[in-house]
Amino acid sequence: MKQLSVDVAVIGGGPAGLAAALSAKAEGAQKVMIIERNHELGGILQQCIHHGFGLHRFKAELTGPEYAQRFINELDDTDIETLLETMVLEITPERKIYAVNSEQGMMEISAKAIVLAMGCRERTRGALQIPGSRPAGVFSAGTAQRFVNIEGYMPGKRAVILGSGDIGLIMARRFTLEGAKVEAVVEVLPYAAGLTRNVVQCLEDFDIPLYLKSTVIHIHGKDRVEAVTIAEVDDAWNPIPGTERVIECDTLLLSVGLVPENELSSHAGVKLDPVTNGAYVNEHLMTTIPGIFACGNVLHVHDLVDNVSKEAERAGKYAGRYAMGTLQKPEKWVKVVAGDNVRYVVPHEISLTEPVEFFLRVQRPQDDVIVDVGGVRTVRERSVRPSEMLNIKLTPEQLQNFTGDTFVIQVKDRKEAEQSA
Amino acid sequence: MREKQTLTVDVAIVGGGIIGTAVARELSKYDVSILLVEKEAEVGWGTTKANSGIVHAGFHEEPGTLKAKYCFPGNQMYPKLCEELDVCFRRNGILMVARNQEEWDIVQKYYQRGKDRGVPVELLSKEEALALEPALSSDILGALHAPEGGSVMPFELAAALMENALQNGAQLLTNSPVVAAQVEGERKVIETAEHRIEAKVVINAAGLFADDLAQMFGDDYFTIKPRKGEEYLFDLDTKDMVTRTIFPVPTKVSKGILVIPTAEGNLMMGPTGDNIEEKEDLATTRDGFARILEGAKSLVPGINPRKIIAQFAGVRAASDRGDFIVELSPNVPGLIHLAGMESPGLTAAPAIAVDAVKLVEEAGLKLTPKEDFEPRRKPMVRFRSLSHEERDRLIKENPAYGRIICRCESVTEGEIIDAVQRGARTLDGIKFRARAGAGRCQGGFCQPLVMAIIARELGIPLEEVTKRGLGSEPVMYHAKELLTGGEGQ
């Protein structure tokens, strides 16, 4: 078995892995390697041929492949090594990576630091337990996207989409532009799960109906999907009898959530947060296993790729420092806690001595709020929604004012907060 | 209309489920021509595919039934059979759990039944049972332990039996529903859309459709009463939760809702047992799920429905006798019925196959054992179970084993090509044989890749690749086809 050793090994060559590798290199790490299972870098961006990427980072409306290419071009100017069509099978807590490809066979790669950047997978019909038969024609939205945009095939011509996640909304438009009819987008929540701009640009602009507080309760068809039954749901998501409606279709797309792909991480002993399904990390984005870092959608599912790149750059920077032995350990870690109307916050621990950048998501939509960040800063927001991540930065000066044991971040109604103040 | 091709054989077997394939393999030990006719694209796709995969211990069955006659002997044949065919088989044992005094009395009855039959069984106190299976409910009184109960992948076994039968000279027609059957003198004739098959002996192993086939021959003395069972499969990371198959005491109609560690390690819960009208009603239901979850939680409270990755339903081909039918037709000479195969049909199949051979002889065929019978099929490569060093050597020999296609189950391109070479023709066939797409993402990532490999290996366009036979093509059109005067107009 081939033996290799590197300073920083980045697992996954999607947007997170690319940014992390570049940043580790820029930080001074000598030997940086990206291990990618696909035959090209860029990850899921390569099938996202719609535009809207990079508005924050590049102040330009790029397609997915264009966004990825900017990083790939940068990478070409470095000596970062990339192993393509290579699958990581195992990571050990001692930071040994077992990977395989058809040319080199099995490889044992010893890394001083590892950055986990494997991304996420789509939730499936099986996970949702949608009743009915099991015909062909049920796809996760991302799989359908790959068929259309990469392979050049249309799954069907008459679709229902369950879930209003961003990929589902994008695929509603894609299917329509490809000449198929999208009969409905069905969402169990009382609001769309995806970004507002996608609801407008992908559904409203094409007159595709969005049914809220509804779900698919039965799939019909023996060999191929023939129809689905949808129904309205109550607050506990139980179908309301009498509201059932059969919609004929040949395809059902599922856009019902993404799950970070942390099987490798778990096997290595990395502790996971049951809310994000990603690793517990400190402000260096280091997991509970020393020298193993995480970023991007494997850490928590992001809204915009721009935010993935930003987070991955931090992970790469600290991984680079760890590999070089220059990452300082703080005197103590303070736990970060998700308070009222906050579903989760990343990172989970902060040192109070370095600048920190939080990503968080709310539980439910709320208008006119202030976000209380550990009592040391407040941020006013006109509206917060679960689909959009909040990004809050704190300086060491602001953090100095913190008193207490746990650093609570909470969302408060602005008027109530001002009255009680 | 094209004239049907006539095939003449000694024995025609109708139905490629676990019974039909087991009989084909057993008969292929003898110097006799065999043709198995299967309506689906691959064997093992009816009731067999959705079987729980339990190799029962043999203490359940009512005395005096054929179920009792064949279950324990069948169980005893499994280790050698699966070793010869290189099929995953685990003797993980069975526990029947008592949750109250009434159930404890029933458990003791089964203990005695097992003892009487020579089935290895023991009674366990609550503490002993919990020591074996710490995830069991602490509300139990005790349990019956049958260490020789096991777990097998039923589809894999049917495919392996067929493959081995083919190696030994049997023939197979897939995609061939029988449309007509009659007796013509000494011969029995069955017709499919494309073939007319003349046989000296016909074995009816048509499962759910066994009564329909019998009726085509004018034989209508039994009927099949379809009974549906739903199953829910968990993520592989539930693997170590439970080792033995956990049974409650049986109900009147079934062995109850079980917690089943499959041969591959995933946990499964089910099945329901609901009488249905339509033989191919394979829909899972909200109500079925609720009942199964309740039943499974009463045995293993820690079961987490969030870990479910797949669900499916199968239909048991129960007969109106409530027992197996293993006999020569009293009305049609040379017609053998192997019907009514509900639980423990899978366990009993190897033993039934042995008796089926005797019935063939009774029907007048003289059977001479072959000297060159090959009991082993070509060994399977299972990349996920190899050591790193073994993997490395394998890839050096064949680089296709270095390309992982299914990331959830670590299935390589080499294994998928091998599955096609062994007879897989569809996505489901690849999933059941090689496990590509059987994991937590349910093919979300690998489906396009697997389809491309099937298309390449079979030399067909991608849009002709099916999920499980004609009409189940996942992709129906080329991109832009709907915009340029194709189907979408």
Side-chain angles (χ1 to χ4, degrees):
Chain A
M1 188 162 48
K2 196 170 168 180
Q3 316 259 339
L4 299 165
S5 54
V6 298
D7 292 319
V8 179
V10 179
I11 303 179
L18 287 166
L22 284 166
S23 156
K25 188 77 212 173
E27 194 65 18
Q30 289 293 309
K31 214 167 158 22
V32 179
M33 174 185 272
I34 299 179
I35 308 170
E36 165 58 41
R37 56 194 156 206
N38 206 353
H39 68 281
E40 61 181 349
L41 294 169
I44 213 72
L45 284 172
Q46 298 290 10
Q47 70 181 52
C48 299
I49 63 170
H50 55 282
H51 61 96
F53 299 92
L55 282 168
H56 295 259
R57 186 179 183 96
F58 298 116
K59 309 289 174 235
E61 273 218 295
L62 306 175
T63 65
E66 284 171 336
Y67 186 94
Q69 196 60 41
R70 293 207 176 192
F71 286 85
I72 296 169
N73 289 345
E74 243 184 274
L75 197 84
D76 287 342
D77 295 333
T78 70
D79 61 357
I80 295 171
E81 206 181 324
T82 53
L83 284 177
L84 296 177
E85 291 190 271
T86 305
M87 183 72 84
V88 173
L89 298 172
E90 186 187 342
I91 302 170
T92 73
E94 297 76 32
R95 298 188 303 280
K96 282 202 192 318
I97 297 167
Y98 293 93
V100 63
N101 67 29
S102 50
E103 269 175 41
Q104 285 131 306
M106 285 295 304
M107 285 169 273
E108 184 188 88
I109 304 164
S110 305
K112 289 183 185 151
I114 293 175
V115 180
L116 305 173
M118 294 90 78
C120 56
R121 64 171 175 267
E122 297 178 279
R123 283 188 78 206
T124 64
R125 175 195 177 172
L128 291 182
Q129 296 143 40
I130 306 171
S133 56
R134 262 150 298 281
V138 181
F139 297 88
S140 59
T143 307
Q145 186 179 47
R146 182 187 165 121
F147 272 118
V148 181
N149 294 348
I150 304 264
E151 314 290 338
Y153 291 91
M154 271 297 281
K157 63 177 177 184
R158 205 170 168 192
V160 169
I161 300 177
L162 174 61
S164 58
D166 287 306
I167 314 170
L169 300 176
I170 296 287
M171 285 311 292
R173 177 173 65 187
R174 184 95 225 113
F175 260 49
T176 308
L177 292 173
E178 282 288 336
K181 172 103 172 92
V182 178
E183 299 288 345
V185 175
V186 184
E187 170 59 57
V188 76
L189 295 169
Y191 48 86
L195 298 172
T196 309
R197 74 172 198 218
N198 283 334
V199 175
V200 174
Q201 294 173 9
C202 299
L203 300 187
E204 291 175 11
D205 287 359
F206 293 90
D207 290 329
I208 297 168
L210 169 64
Y211 299 105
L212 298 173
K213 293 193 78 172
S214 300
T215 194
V216 171
I217 60 163
H218 203 92
I219 297 171
H220 307 268
K222 183 169 175 285
D223 297 320
R224 178 79 196 187
V225 174
E226 288 163 18
V228 297
T229 302
I230 70 168
E232 291 172 26
V233 298
D234 61 21
D235 292 338
W237 294 6
N238 293 310
I240 301 172
T243 63
E244 300 87 355
R245 198 148 62 89
V246 176
I247 304 179
E248 280 183 32
C249 57
D250 58 27
T251 303
L252 174 66
L253 300 188
L254 304 176
S255 178
V256 289
L258 301 169
V259 187
E261 286 242 273
N262 272 304
E263 281 67 33
L264 288 173
S265 331
S266 300
H267 191 269
V270 168
K271 195 177 162 209
L272 301 183
D273 174 346
V275 178
T276 58
N277 288 309
Y280 277 102
V281 289
N282 62 31
E283 72 189 11
H284 300 142
L285 300 173
M286 188 158 88
T287 68
T288 51
I289 302 287
I292 300 186
F293 298 76
C295 58
N297 281 354
V298 81
L299 178 56
H300 60 115
V301 174
H302 290 59
D303 54 351
L304 301 174
V305 70
D306 308 61
N307 287 329
V308 167
S309 302
K310 207 152 99 175
E311 181 178 88
E313 279 170 345
R314 282 190 288 130
K317 177 172 82 176
Y318 293 121
R321 284 189 197 168
Y322 186 93
M324 294 184 293
T326 58
L327 183 62
Q328 300 294 327
K329 226 178 161 180
E331 275 176 34
K332 60 163 188 175
W333 290 111
V334 172
K335 277 210 178 332
V336 179
V337 172
D340 287 348
N341 198 18
V342 176
R343 195 159 79 85
Y344 72 80
V345 185
V346 172
H348 301 80
E349 288 178 336
I350 57 174
S351 69
L352 302 175
T353 57
E354 285 188 64
V356 63
E357 190 165 355
F358 293 108
F359 281 124
L360 54 121
R361 280 186 197 260
V362 296
Q363 295 269 22
R364 57 183 185 277
Q366 199 177 345
D367 291 334
D368 196 15
V369 298
I370 57 165
V371 185
D372 175 350
V373 191
V376 302
R377 193 185 160 196
T378 53
V379 181
R380 189 175 163 182
E381 294 282 346
R382 274 206 343 235
S383 138
V384 289
R385 347 200 106 252
S387 58
E388 283 156 35
M389 287 175 14
L390 294 172
N391 179 205
I392 298 169
K393 289 179 200 174
L394 292 181
T395 62
E397 293 69 40
Q398 289 169 317
L399 287 162
Q400 259 179 8
N401 299 325
F402 175 76
T403 52
D405 301 329
T406 53
F407 192 94
V408 180
I409 302 184
Q410 51 193 324
V411 174
K412 298 174 174 169
D413 184 87
R414 185 182 62 86
K415 287 189 190 116
E416 281 175 25
E418 284 176 1
Q419 273 165 14
S420 63
Chain B
M1 210 179 104
R2 214 170 46 147
E3 201 171 310
K4 290 183 182 181
Q5 190 192 346
T6 299
L7 301 169
T8 307
V9 292
D10 294 325
V11 183
I13 303 167
V14 180
I18 194 66
I19 299 294
T21 55
V23 172
R25 195 248 183 182
E26 194 61 33
L27 268 177
S28 74
K29 294 176 178 172
Y30 301 89
D31 203 2
V32 61
S33 60
I34 308 156
L35 173 67
L36 190 146
V37 185
E38 167 56 44
K39 75 181 175 75
E40 302 291 339
E42 298 185 30
V43 296
W45 268 10
T47 301
T48 299
K49 179 184 73 170
N51 188 291
S52 299
I54 300 162
V55 178
H56 291 283
F59 61 79
H60 266 105
E61 295 66 32
E62 284 292 321
T65 59
L66 290 181
K67 291 178 180 177
K69 177 181 174 187
Y70 291 115
C71 185
F72 182 54
N75 172 300
Q76 298 297 301
M77 292 170 78
Y78 261 81
K80 178 165 176 270
L81 182 67
C82 292
E83 193 268 324
E84 285 177 347
L85 296 176
D86 192 7
V87 165
C88 290
F89 170 61
R90 285 205 296 162
R91 236 181 193 166
N92 54 323
I94 284 172
L95 285 184
M96 184 194 274
V97 168
R99 291 164 292 196
N100 53 47
Q101 187 58 47
E102 190 188 339
E103 292 189 351
W104 184 239
D105 295 341
I106 299 171
V107 161
Q108 297 197 15
K109 183 185 90 181
Y110 285 106
Y111 169 74
Q112 196 52 52
R113 194 175 271 184
K115 277 271 171 218
D116 294 345
R117 273 173 212 167
V119 177
V121 280
E122 56 177 340
L123 285 172
L124 302 180
S125 68
K126 171 181 172 172
E127 290 69 30
E128 289 167 329
L130 283 167
L132 283 184
E133 296 291 352
L136 274 181
S137 163
S138 55
D139 289 339
I140 63 167
L141 247 58
L144 167 62
H145 179 214
E148 295 198 349
S151 228
V152 71
M153 298 306 268
F155 177 87
E156 187 189 21
L157 179 58
L161 287 162
M162 193 67 235
E163 189 182 328
N164 188 236
L166 292 170
Q167 268 175 278
N168 286 296
Q171 293 171 277
L172 169 67
L173 281 181
T174 52
N175 291 311
S176 302
V178 171
V179 293
Q182 65 271 342
V183 180
E184 292 181 7
E186 290 289 286
R187 292 173 306 191
K188 258 88 27 219
V189 177
I190 52 180
E191 290 182 46
T192 67
E194 291 176 10
H195 294 93
R196 176 188 152 86
I197 298 143
E198 302 179 354
K200 292 178 188 150
V201 174
V202 168
I203 296 178
N204 176 8
L208 282 165
F209 304 93
D211 54 350
D212 299 327
L213 181 72
Q215 272 177 25
M216 288 183 195
F217 279 110
D219 204 10
D220 60 356
Y221 72 104
F222 65 89
T223 52
I224 298 299
K225 301 280 184 199
R227 203 167 70 241
K228 183 161 79 174
E230 300 180 25
E231 304 264 17
Y232 292 78
L233 186 75
F234 292 83
D235 192 295
L236 199 52
D237 69 8
T238 56
K239 195 173 183 153
D240 300 323
M241 196 170 180
V242 174
T243 305
R244 292 159 193 82
T245 303
I246 313 295
F247 285 71
V249 298
T251 67
K252 282 207 169 57
V253 293
S254 82
K255 293 187 168 101
I257 305 293
L258 324 177
V259 176
I260 306 158
T262 63
E264 291 284 359
N266 303 64
L267 217 54
M268 193 161 79
M269 62 177 184
T272 45
D274 298 324
N275 293 318
I276 52 169
E277 295 300 314
E278 209 234 302
K279 286 178 175 177
E280 290 186 306
D281 170 9
L282 295 173
T284 48
T285 62
R286 211 178 146 80
D287 170 62
F289 172 69
R291 282 183 283 143
I292 287 174
L293 186 61
E294 192 194 347
K297 273 183 173 278
S298 75
L299 300 171
V300 180
I303 273 198
N304 177 5
R306 288 184 58 182
K307 288 281 180 187
I308 291 171
I309 61 167
Q311 59 277 143
F312 55 90
V315 181
R316 304 171 183 85
S319 76
D320 53 358
R321 282 189 205 174
D323 196 9
F324 298 158
I325 298 169
V326 180
E327 62 198 25
L328 279 161
S329 163
N331 309 312
V332 182
L335 176 61
I336 296 169
H337 296 305
L338 306 177
M341 296 297 162
E342 56 184 316
S343 177
L346 172 69
T347 311
I352 290 173
V354 172
D355 271 11
V357 170
K358 292 180 192 152
L359 291 174
V360 170
E361 283 185 311
E362 273 179 48
L365 278 192
K366 193 171 153 8
L367 298 177
T368 322
K370 280 181 197 160
E371 279 174 16
D372 59 350
F373 173 73
E374 172 53 66
R376 293 175 180 277
R377 64 169 180 159
K378 192 177 96 187
M380 299 289 287
V381 170
R382 296 182 181 90
F383 183 85
R384 65 192 170 280
S385 341
L386 300 179
S387 71
H388 292 323
E389 288 72 23
E390 289 169 325
R391 289 168 175 173
D392 200 46
R393 281 197 295 277
L394 181 67
I395 297 162
K396 298 279 144 63
E397 283 166 29
N398 182 351
Y401 288 105
R403 192 171 167 232
I404 305 278
I405 300 296
C406 165
R407 60 174 82 162
C408 302
E409 300 282 322
S410 296
V411 182
T412 61
E413 181 173 20
E415 290 162 275
I416 294 168
I417 294 171
D418 183 56
V420 175
Q421 288 171 353
R422 288 173 191 263
R425 291 291 173 270
T426 64
L427 276 170
D428 276 2
I430 295 289
K431 178 167 87 175
F432 294 131
R433 286 167 191 261
R435 289 188 71 73
R440 51 183 71 90
C441 91
Q442 288 288 294
F445 287 114
C446 69
Q447 186 182 337
L449 307 175
V450 174
M451 285 174 65
I453 295 169
I454 296 174
R456 185 190 72 205
E457 293 298 309
L458 297 179
I460 58 173
L462 194 84
E463 62 268 33
E464 286 180 20
V465 175
T466 69
K467 177 170 159 57
R468 55 160 169 264
L470 206 63
S472 66
E473 295 77 11
V475 294
M476 300 173 78
Y477 312 101
H478 282 268
K480 306 295 178 283
E481 187 180 333
L482 298 176
L483 297 168
T484 54
E487 283 264 358
Q489 296 304 301

